[in-house]
Amino acid sequence: MKKDIIEYLGFDEDNKNKVGRPRLADKKTKKKSLIIASFSFLFVIMLLVFGYGTLFGFKNLDLKGSILRNESKENVLVEEIKPLIKDITLKVGTARKAYLTVLPASATNKKISYESSDENIASVDEDGKVVGISVGNAIITAKTEDGSDLKAEFNVKVIKNAEGKCTFTSLSKTNDGVSYVTECNNAKIKEIQYKIGNDSYEKLLTKKSSDEVRFSKEQLAKKITFKVVYYPNNSKITKYETKSISKVKKTTKAPSGKCTLQLKDVKHNSAKYDITCDNASVTKIAYKIGSGSYVGLDASSLADTILFEPSNVTRVIYFNVEYMIDGTDDVKTLSKSTIIEKGKDVN
């Protein structure tokens, strides 16, 4: 070894004091130097790798765990799906959205598939819109598509679309009371009521489609309103129609009359309307939501509940009623609107 060093420095062993030009190392010496340098480089790398944890406060360098954790952050599975309304009731031919709560909110894939247990009763599309096809019961199953294999169910009851009705074809005052005549088409009378002025309604003991009800002279001097409550199309859901009559006065003036409109029980997906007419007849009823188009309703149904799709924004519902004063061709327009608040029911 000593000889190699001497040769590398360019001296002869026997003549150390001689000065001469240093000789270059031979191939063997170069190989040894290269091996020593490689081992030194690997040793430094190992110190950096295994000393990394101590230097920064970690005991182990868990590369596999880090990779798995990064993958889990990129793909968050759904942990829970829950129906907002589990039991849905629809009329034949109407539709409603099946709404779900999907948790967590950070789930990567929130796509849900829907399936009906009986497409002949209730169908459902890929967005969860359920349509009533025929009377009966069905179950809508919602499933996750992200691999979490979760599901939720909606119970759907489809009922008859109540299209029958009862109306007053005649309502007139006599010397002793008020005579009325009702006509029913595919409907059955439940009861007949009346009220004097602004008093509460009183129920008649009779269910006759036509009769004469006696009133005192004081009562006849006031406005009298009759109401027929009926079951349309053999349904268990009741509807009603009202008609009012005022004291007949001798006058040379043109006939007068009017209709009034009330909106009540306004909810995020339904609203009730009630139209009362005095010496007038309704010719057209329509409503619209927001900037949408008007939807026509049955002009002979003066009180009903309409259903519409809920929304996650606050909207306005508009009603428009046209009526004609009895004995004239004079058409009047009546309009009313109210706010449908997001996620709230308002009266």
Side-chain angles (χ1 to χ4, degrees), residues 78-83 100-103 110 112 142-144 148-153:
V78 176
E79 297 177 1
E80 181 183 6
I81 55 173
K82 185 178 180 181
L100 282 167
T101 298
V102 181
L103 297 175
K110 297 182 181 180
I112 304 294
K143 296 181 180 179
T144 55
S148 57
D149 197 27
L150 300 177
K151 67 178 183 178
E153 293 182 346

Side-chain angles (χ1 to χ4, degrees), residues 99-149:
Y99 287 98
L100 282 167
T101 298
V102 181
L103 297 175
S106 59
T108 305
N109 182 5
K110 297 182 181 180
K111 187 172 178 59
I112 304 294
S113 62
Y114 298 88
E115 184 179 358
S116 173
S117 63
D118 193 337
E119 291 283 344
N120 294 323
I121 292 179
S123 64
V124 62
D125 63 13
E126 60 183 9
D127 296 322
K129 182 179 179 181
V130 184
V131 179
I133 306 299
S134 61
V135 176
N137 296 283
I139 296 176
I140 303 299
T141 302
K143 296 181 180 179
T144 55
E145 293 191 355
D146 67 338
S148 57
D149 197 27

Side-chain angles (χ1 to χ4, degrees), residues 65-75:
S66 299
I67 295 173
L68 291 176
R69 283 192 293 272
N70 289 334
E71 289 181 353
S72 66
K73 290 181 180 179
E74 294 176 359
N75 184 24

